[in-house]
C-alpha cells in the first residue's frame, strides 16, 4: 500500500452571482454581490493564508467580476445600499416597508440570532411575513429601531473573521444596539473596502501558486442549450421543447470568448481552466473550449457514467468504480475532471448540520478510504466542486471552524495532497482519452431545470423572438450600433433566470429574477428603436400574470363617455383596480394614475382612469395608451391635451403598427373614459382579453398599470347579466 502514489484532491470553489443590474435604470436590484463579497469571497482566500501547503481552485464568473469591479470603483447603484445610507429620520413610509420586508434576508439561526437585539426586531415584525401587514407594522417601529435594522443587516453579512479582526467592527458587534448614524456610515465604508480587497487578494495568491483561478462563460449561460435546445432530448427524450428551436453556437462561442477576455483584463493572465455553467457540457461545448485554448474543464460524475455507459455507483449510492472516477480524461485535447457528487453535496448540504471537527474528520476519513481503495501505480485525483459562497451561511461561524479543522487535518496527511487541476495535469498528463461526452449538467445529468416547464419554454421563446428581431434589424441597418443590445441579450441568456422558472426552486425574490430577464429583453428592443412587445410586460411566472381587481365585475354597465363622474352608479357594476396595490409604475415612482375602472355590456369594453393630478397639469406631450396582447395586438392612443381629440386605434401586423380607425367615444375632463367595441378588439364571445394601460411622455413610457401582469377580461355571453342577477 505504501507504494501507491498519494491521493490528490482538487477543491474547486465556484464563485457566482446572477447579473443583478437593472438594464432600464442601472440599479442593482438585489444586494447579493456586495453582501457575499463581505461575507464569503475574501475570507475563503484569507483562511488559506495560514495553510500554505493547501492548494485550491477558485472559479470566477466574469459577470460577477464585473459587478465586483463596479462596487470597488464606487460606481455601483444598489437599492439596498441606498436605503441603508438614508438617515433613519428621513426614511419614507415606502423605505420603512422595504426595510421590514428585506432587511431580515439572512440565515436566522446563524446570522440574526447571534445579535439578540436583531432577533428581537425580527420577532417584533413577525417571523411569518405578510406583506400586506407591513404598512401597519411600521407604526410600531421607532426611528432607533430602523437605524438598528440598517446597521444589523449590513453587519451580519460581514464575515465573523473580519468582525473579529477589525476593532471598529468588533466594537459594533459588542455594542449590539442603539447605533448612531456616524457608526452606520463607517460600517458601510468598511463594507465596500472589504469588497475592494477581493480581486487583488486572489490575483496575488494566484501569482504565488497556492491557488488556481479559472472562469465560466461570461453571463453563466447553459452552453449546450445555446448550441442547440434539441440537445436536451438525449437525456430527456420526452421533454416538451420550446416553440422555436434555439440553435446559436456562435452565442456560446461569444460567451466563452468574452469570459476569457474579461478574466484576462481583471487578473492579467489567460485562464487555463473552465467550470462550464452548472457543469453543463456536450461534445460541441468541449470542441469550442479547445478552440479557445482552454486546457481543462470540469463537470459531474453522472456525465462520466453516461459517457462511458457504465454505472460507477450502486443503487445505495456506494461507489463501485473508484478507478474510473478518480482520474482525468481527455476529449478533443481538453482535459476533463469529474466531480465526486456525493462528497461535494456533503459539503454543500450536509456537513453544516454537524459539529465542525466531526464534519472535517469525516471528509478526511472518506479521502483516506478512497486512497486505500484505488489500485496502485496510477495517480488519482478526487474533484470536490461546489458553490464557494452559498453554503457557508448554513454553517456555524460562516464555516470558518470547519475550514480550520479541514485544512489543518489535510496539512498533516502524508498520503493526501491538495492540488490545482492544472498542476495535476502538468505533472501527470492530459488524461485518458474519452470516446464521447454525454450532454448534461451536474443536476440529474440533464437540462430539466432550464427547459421543459411551461415557464422555462416561454422564456426560451421570448429569447428566440428577441434575438431574431435583433439580427434582422442588424441586417437591415448594418451601421447601427447594437453593442448594448447584444450585451442585454447575452445577459438574458444566463442560466439564473430559468433556475427560478418552473416548480423546482423558489425564493422570496422570484419576481426580481423574472423582471430582470424580461427587462434585458426589453432593453434589446429599446436600444434598436423598436416598440417593446406587449407580452414582455407580463410576468412569465404563472401566479403573477393576471392581476385581480379590488372589486370584480358584477353586471353590465353603460357609462356616459364624457370625462366626468356623472353618477356614482354608472361604474357601480364594473371592476375597480387600485394602482398602488397592483404594482405601481415602472420605476416605482409616484404614480400619475390612482384608480382604474373597467366593465362592459354585450358589445363594448369600457375603461375609466382617475388621475392623481388634474389633466390640466399634465405635460403637453403626455398620452394614454390602451394596449391588448390577446386576442390581438391592438394599441389605442389618446393625447391628454387638446380640443376635439379622438383616440387612434392601431393593429400590429407582422412587426408594424398600422392605423385602423379613429375612436370618438373617448373623453378626458376630470377622468379619462373610453368605450371600445369588442369587434374593434378582434374579440368574440368567451374570448379572454389581456390589456394594460401605458402613460407615455415624448414617446417614452413613464408608467404602466398594472406593472406586473395584465388586466384580464372575459368577453360576456348573451346571458351574462341574467346569470349575474341570479
Amino acid at each position: 500500500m505504501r507504494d501507491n502514489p498519494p491521493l490528490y484532491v482538487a477543491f474547486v470553489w465556484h464563485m457566482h452571482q446572477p447579473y443583478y443590474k437593472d438594464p432600464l435604470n442601472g440599479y442593482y436590484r438585489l444586494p447579493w454581490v456586495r453582501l457575499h463579497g463581505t461575507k464569503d469571497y475574501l475570507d475563503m482566500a484569507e483562511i488559506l493564508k495560514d495553510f500554505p501547503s493547501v492548494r485550491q481552485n477558485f472559479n470566477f464568473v466574469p459577470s460577477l467580476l464585473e459587478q465586483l469591479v463596479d462596487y470597488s470603483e464606487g460606481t455601483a447603484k444598489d437599492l439596498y445600499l441606498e436605503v441603508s445610507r438614508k438617515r433613519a429620520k428621513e426614511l419614507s413610509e415606502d423605505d420603512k416597508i422595504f426595510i421590514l420586508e428585506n432587511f431580515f434576508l439572512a440565515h436566522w439561526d446563524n446570522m440574526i440570532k447571534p445579535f439578540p437585539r436583531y432577533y428581537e426586531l425580527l420577532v417584533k415584525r413577525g417571523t411569518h411575513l405578510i406583506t400586506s401587514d407591513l404598512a401597519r407594522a411600521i407604526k410600531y417601529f421607532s426611528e432607533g429601531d430602523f437605524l438598528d435594522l440598517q446597521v444589523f443587516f449590513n453587519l451580519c453579512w460581514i464575515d465573523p473573521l473580519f468582525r473579529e479582526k477589525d476593532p471598529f467592527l468588533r466594537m459594533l458587534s459588542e455594542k449590539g444596539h442603539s447605533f448612531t448614524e456616524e457608526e452606520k456610515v463607517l460600517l458601510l465604508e468598511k463594507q465596500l473596502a472589504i469588497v475592494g480587497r477581493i480581486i487583488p487578494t486572489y490575483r496575488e495568491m494566484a501569482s504565488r501558486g497556492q491557488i488556481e483561478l479559472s472562469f465560466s462563460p461570461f453571463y453563466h449561460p447553459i452552453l449546450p442549450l445555446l448550441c442547440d435546445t434539441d440537445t436536451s432530448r438525449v437525456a430527456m427524450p420526452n421533454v416538451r421543447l420550446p416553440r422555436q428551436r434555439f440553435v446559436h453556437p456562435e452565442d456560446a462561442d461569444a460567451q466563452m470568448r468574452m469570459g476569457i477576455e474579461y478574466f484576462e483584463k481583471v487578473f492579467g493572465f489567460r485562464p487555463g481552466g473552465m467550470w462550464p455553467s452548472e457543469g453543463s457540457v456536450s461534445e460541441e461545448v468541449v470542441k469550442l473550449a479547445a478552440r479557445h485554448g482552454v486546457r481543462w474543464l470540469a463537470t459531474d460524475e453522472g456525465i462520466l457514467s453516461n459517457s462511458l455507459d457504465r454505472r460507477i455507483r450502486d443503487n445505495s449510492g456506494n461507489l463501485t468504480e473508484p478507478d474510473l472516477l478518480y482520474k482525468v480524461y481527455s476529449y478533443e485535447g481538453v482535459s476533463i475532471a469529474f466531480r465526486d457528487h456525493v462528497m461535494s453535496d456533503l459539503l454543500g448540504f450536509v456537513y453544516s448540520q454537524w459539529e465542525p471537527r466531526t464534519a472535517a474528520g469525516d471528509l478526511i476519513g472518506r479521502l483516506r478510504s478512497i486512497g486505500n481503495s484505488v489500485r496502485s501505480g496510477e495517480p488519482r485525483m478526487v474533484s470536490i466542486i461546489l458553490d464557494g459562497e452559498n453554503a457557508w451561511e448554513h454553517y456555524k461561524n460562516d464555516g470558518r471552524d470547519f475550514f480550520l479543522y479541514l485544512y489543518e487535518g489535510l496539512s498533516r496527511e502524508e498520503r493526501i495532497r491538495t492540488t490545482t487541476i492544472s498542476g495535476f495535469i502538468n505533472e501527470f498528463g492530459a488524461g485518458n482519452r474519452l470516446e464521447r461526452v454525454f450532454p448534461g449538467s451536474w443536476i440529474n445529468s440533464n437540462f430539466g431545470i432550464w427547459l421543459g416547464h411551461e415557464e422555462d419554454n416561454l422564456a426560451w421563446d421570448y429569447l428566440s423572438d428577441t434575438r431574431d428581431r435583433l439580427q434582422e434589424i442588424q441586417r437591415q441597418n448594418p451601421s447601427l450600433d447594437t453593442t448594448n443590445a447584444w450585451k442585454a441579450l447575452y445577459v438574458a441568456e444566463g442560466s439564473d433566470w430559468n433556475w427560478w422558472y418552473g416548480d423546482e426552486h423558489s425564493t422570496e425574490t422570484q419576481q426580481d429574477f423574472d423582471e430582470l430577464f424580461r427587462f434585458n429583453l426589453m432593453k434589446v428592443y429599446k436600444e434598436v428603436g423598436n416598440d417593446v412587445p406587449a407580452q414582455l410586460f407580463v410576468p412569465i411566472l404563472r401566479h403573477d400574470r393576471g392581476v385581480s381587481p379590488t372589486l370584480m365585475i358584477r353586471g353590465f354597465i353603460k357609462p356616459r363617455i364624457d370625462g366626468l363622474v356623472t353618477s356614482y352608479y354608472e361604474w357601480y357594476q364594473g371592476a375597480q383596480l387600485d394602482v398602488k396595490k397592483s404594482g405601481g409604475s415602472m420605476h416605482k415612482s409616484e404614480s400619475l394614475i390612482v384608480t382604474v375602472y373597467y366593465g362592459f355590456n354585450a358589445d363594448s369594453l369600457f375603461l375609466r382612469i382617475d388621475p392623481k393630478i388634474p389633466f390640466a397639469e399634465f405635460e403637453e406631450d403626455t398620452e394614454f395608451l390602451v394596449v391588448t396582447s390577446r386576442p390581438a395586438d391592438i394599441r389605442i392612443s389618446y393625447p391628454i391635451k387638446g380640443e376635439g381629440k379622438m383616440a387612434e386605434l392601431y393593429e400590429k401586423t407582422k412587426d408594424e403598427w398600422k392605423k385602423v380607425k379613429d375612436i370618438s367615444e373617448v373623453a378626458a375632463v376630470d377622468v379619462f373614459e373610453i368605450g371600445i367595441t369588442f369587434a374593434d378588439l378582434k374579440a368574440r364571445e368567451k374570448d379572454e382579453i389581456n390589456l394594460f394601460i401605458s402613460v407615455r411622455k415624448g414617446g417614452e413610457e413613464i408608467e404602466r398599470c398594472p406593472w406586473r401582469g395584465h388586466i384580464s377580461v372575459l368577453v360576456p355571453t348573451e346571458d351574462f347579466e341574467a346569470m349575474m342577477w341570479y
Side-chain angles (χ1 to χ4, degrees):
M1 191 67 66
R2 283 288 177 184
D3 294 331
N4 282 352
L7 179 72
Y8 291 85
V9 184
F11 288 93
V12 180
W13 308 113
H14 175 52
M15 303 303 201
H16 164 60
Q17 287 294 321
Y19 196 70
Y20 292 118
K21 185 177 284 190
D22 186 324
L24 302 184
N25 62 23
Y27 276 81
Y28 286 104
R29 288 286 293 271
L30 294 169
W32 306 127
V33 168
R34 174 172 56 91
L35 297 183
H36 279 292
T38 56
K39 192 179 76 67
D40 299 303
Y41 299 133
L42 183 58
D43 77 294
M44 287 289 285
E46 290 285 346
I47 291 173
L48 274 175
K49 290 182 177 179
D50 292 331
F51 303 95
S53 66
V54 176
R55 301 285 185 266
Q56 301 277 268
N57 302 263
F58 291 91
N59 187 86
F60 277 93
V61 179
S63 55
L64 168 62
L65 292 173
E66 186 178 273
Q67 294 175 90
L68 288 172
V69 168
D70 203 4
Y71 279 105
S72 299
E73 294 178 348
T75 53
K77 296 187 293 184
D78 177 334
L79 290 171
Y80 289 69
L81 185 56
E82 288 200 357
V83 172
S84 296
R85 282 174 169 155
K86 279 191 177 182
R87 296 181 69 86
K89 67 181 180 181
E90 296 171 1
L91 292 169
S92 67
E93 181 177 318
D94 286 343
D95 292 332
K96 293 175 180 178
I97 290 172
F98 183 86
I99 287 173
L100 289 191
E101 183 175 3
N102 295 290
F103 277 32
F104 295 103
L105 292 177
H107 193 285
W108 290 359
D109 287 335
N110 295 332
M111 297 172 68
I112 293 181
K113 284 185 178 179
F115 301 97
R117 165 72 169 153
Y118 196 8
Y119 186 65
E120 173 191 315
L121 292 169
L122 171 61
V123 173
K124 185 174 182 178
R125 183 208 68 173
T127 53
H128 297 284
L129 176 63
I130 302 174
T131 307
S132 59
D133 286 350
L134 293 178
R136 176 189 56 80
I138 64 173
K139 298 173 184 176
Y140 300 99
F141 283 75
S142 67
E143 179 183 313
D145 290 341
F146 281 109
L147 178 52
D148 281 357
L149 276 176
Q150 289 172 308
V151 170
F152 278 129
F153 179 61
N154 291 283
L155 183 62
C156 84
W157 276 95
I158 293 179
D159 190 270
L161 174 66
F162 305 131
R163 297 203 304 258
E164 179 184 304
K165 285 187 173 181
D166 186 283
F168 171 74
L169 296 177
R170 185 168 64 250
M171 179 276 293
L172 274 191
S173 300
E174 292 171 353
K175 182 179 182 182
H177 61 85
S178 305
F179 303 111
T180 67
E181 291 286 349
E182 292 72 25
E183 289 169 341
K184 183 181 71 177
V185 169
L186 186 52
L187 166 65
L188 297 176
E189 289 174 357
K190 293 272 187 183
Q191 191 181 63
L192 293 177
I194 291 171
V195 174
R197 290 167 50 197
I198 294 169
I199 290 174
T201 297
Y202 279 95
R203 187 189 296 123
E204 187 271 331
M205 291 187 71
S207 71
R208 288 194 284 107
Q210 185 176 2
I211 66 173
E212 177 177 6
L213 299 177
S214 57
F215 83 109
S216 292
F218 203 106
Y219 293 107
H220 207 261
I222 304 299
L223 293 175
L225 296 183
L226 292 190
C227 292
D228 187 354
T229 45
D230 278 14
T231 301
S232 58
R233 284 204 183 277
V234 176
M236 304 182 297
N238 300 315
V239 67
R240 294 180 60 184
L241 292 171
R243 167 180 50 81
Q244 185 172 333
R245 185 176 180 179
F246 194 95
V247 186
H248 292 291
E250 66 272 30
D251 287 11
D253 183 78
Q255 295 264 12
M256 206 179 292
R257 171 182 52 78
M258 293 187 305
I260 292 171
E261 290 173 353
Y262 192 77
F263 180 101
E264 187 171 16
K265 176 184 174 182
V266 170
F267 289 114
F269 61 91
R270 287 178 69 86
M274 174 176 73
W275 170 255
S277 318
E278 306 294 354
S280 297
V281 293
S282 66
E283 292 180 355
E284 190 166 10
V285 166
V286 181
K287 291 174 183 176
L288 277 175
R291 288 204 289 273
H292 284 287
V294 175
R295 294 186 63 208
W296 65 262
L297 56 81
T299 182
D300 189 69
E301 67 176 49
I303 304 300
L304 175 64
S305 181
N306 288 331
S307 298
L308 298 175
D309 199 22
R310 290 177 65 172
R311 296 186 62 184
I312 58 177
R313 292 191 188 270
D314 60 26
N315 291 333
S316 300
N318 299 310
L319 198 64
T320 58
E321 299 273 12
D323 285 297
L324 290 179
L325 177 58
Y326 300 130
K327 61 183 178 182
V328 174
Y329 291 81
S330 176
Y331 182 82
E332 295 290 328
V334 178
S335 297
I336 306 177
F338 295 92
R339 74 193 278 266
D340 184 303
H341 193 109
V342 171
M343 279 201 286
S344 300
D345 281 1
L346 283 171
L347 269 84
F349 308 112
V350 178
Y351 285 154
S352 59
Q353 307 305 311
W354 292 23
E355 191 274 327
R357 186 194 297 268
T358 303
D362 183 79
L363 182 61
I364 293 171
R366 288 172 182 268
L367 292 172
R368 286 199 202 103
S369 297
I370 291 168
N372 293 331
S373 66
V374 295
R375 293 193 297 270
S376 62
E378 191 174 348
R380 301 296 179 183
M381 185 179 79
V382 178
S383 298
I384 299 175
I385 306 174
L386 67 153
D387 281 354
E389 71 269 270
N390 290 321
W392 316 127
E393 65 201 64
H394 301 280
Y395 282 70
K396 298 293 184 186
N397 206 23
D398 204 44
R400 184 187 176 199
D401 300 334
F402 167 76
F403 280 119
L404 291 177
Y405 286 124
L406 177 64
Y407 293 161
E408 184 181 351
L410 289 172
S411 298
R412 291 199 304 263
E413 289 291 323
E414 295 182 2
R415 307 298 302 162
I416 300 174
R417 292 184 188 171
T418 53
T419 184
T420 63
I421 295 180
S422 286
F424 185 86
I425 293 169
N426 289 340
E427 187 170 355
F428 301 111
N432 298 59
R433 186 169 180 271
L434 202 60
E435 296 298 326
R436 67 185 285 250
V437 175
F438 185 85
S441 73
W442 74 269
I443 305 177
N444 301 320
S445 304
N446 61 35
F447 304 114
I449 295 294
W450 303 277
L451 183 143
H453 189 278
E454 175 208 342
E455 293 175 357
D456 293 324
N457 290 351
L458 188 59
W460 279 102
D461 286 337
Y462 287 173
L463 180 67
S464 294
D465 292 342
T466 304
R467 194 191 188 286
D468 289 348
R469 184 61 182 148
L470 174 57
Q471 206 158 32
E472 181 183 348
I473 290 169
Q474 198 167 34
R475 280 195 297 265
Q476 294 169 353
N477 305 281
S479 62
L480 183 67
D481 184 2
T482 57
T483 305
N484 291 334
W486 279 105
K487 175 176 179 177
L489 186 90
Y490 290 143
V491 173
E493 288 179 342
S495 70
D496 299 285
W497 323 123
N498 281 43
W499 180 272
W500 301 110
Y501 291 139
D503 300 323
E504 300 93 352
H505 304 113
S506 63
T507 177
E508 301 97 327
T509 52
Q510 219 157 343
Q511 290 177 335
D512 290 289
F513 286 96
D514 179 37
E515 287 190 358
L516 283 169
F517 172 71
R518 291 183 289 110
F519 284 8
N520 276 289
L521 296 184
M522 292 180 195
K523 175 75 170 177
V524 175
Y525 289 95
K526 288 176 177 288
E527 282 292 326
V528 295
N530 266 217
D531 285 336
V532 176
Q535 65 266 22
L536 289 183
F537 289 94
V538 178
I540 291 172
L541 298 169
R542 288 177 300 183
H543 56 75
D544 276 354
R545 291 178 194 168
V547 175
S548 299
T550 311
L551 295 174
M552 305 293 288
I553 293 175
R554 289 152 289 165
F556 282 160
I557 63 173
K558 184 60 176 88
R560 180 187 297 174
I561 305 299
D562 54 8
L564 301 169
V565 184
T566 310
S567 164
Y568 166 78
Y569 292 100
E570 67 175 345
W571 289 92
Y572 177 69
Q573 298 279 60
Q576 178 183 335
L577 184 69
D578 185 308
V579 170
K580 190 170 185 180
K581 291 180 180 176
S582 72
S585 62
M586 176 185 296
H587 302 298
K588 309 296 186 288
S589 60
E590 195 65 35
S591 178
L592 291 171
I593 301 172
V594 176
T595 311
V596 174
Y597 296 84
Y598 58 94
F600 47 63
N601 59 24
D603 303 311
S604 297
L605 174 69
F606 301 101
L607 289 166
R608 167 183 151 190
I609 300 172
D610 290 12
K612 181 161 187 159
I613 60 175
F615 287 130
E617 296 179 19
F618 275 53
E619 296 189 36
E620 289 294 335
D621 53 355
T622 307
E623 62 178 339
F624 281 162
L625 274 72
V626 179
V627 184
T628 70
S629 58
R630 185 176 178 181
D633 287 316
I634 302 291
R635 186 175 73 192
I636 300 158
S637 63
Y638 181 79
I640 295 301
K641 292 192 173 181
E643 296 293 330
K645 305 176 300 299
M646 288 191 288
E648 297 180 322
L649 185 146
Y650 295 81
E651 183 178 1
K652 192 173 187 181
T653 55
K654 295 184 179 178
D655 290 313
E656 293 185 18
W657 288 99
K658 293 187 177 179
K659 183 176 177 180
V660 176
K661 63 184 295 186
D662 290 326
I663 295 178
S664 57
E665 198 174 9
V666 61
V669 182
D670 293 337
V671 298
F672 170 85
E673 295 177 310
I674 188 170
I676 317 157
T677 67
F678 290 125
D680 284 340
L681 296 175
K682 307 289 186 183
R684 299 179 180 179
E685 200 175 88
K686 295 185 179 180
D687 278 350
E688 182 182 348
I689 300 172
N690 293 336
L691 67 89
F692 62 84
I693 293 145
S694 173
V695 184
R696 291 195 178 187
K697 180 181 175 297
E700 285 292 319
E701 184 170 64
I702 59 174
E703 185 171 345
R704 175 178 296 259
C705 179
W707 171 233
R708 287 192 180 98
H710 50 244
I711 295 171
S712 180
V713 178
L714 201 64
V715 179
T717 58
E718 289 183 359
D719 59 351
F720 173 81
E721 195 162 37
M723 290 174 62
M724 293 303 291
W725 179 87
Y726 177 77

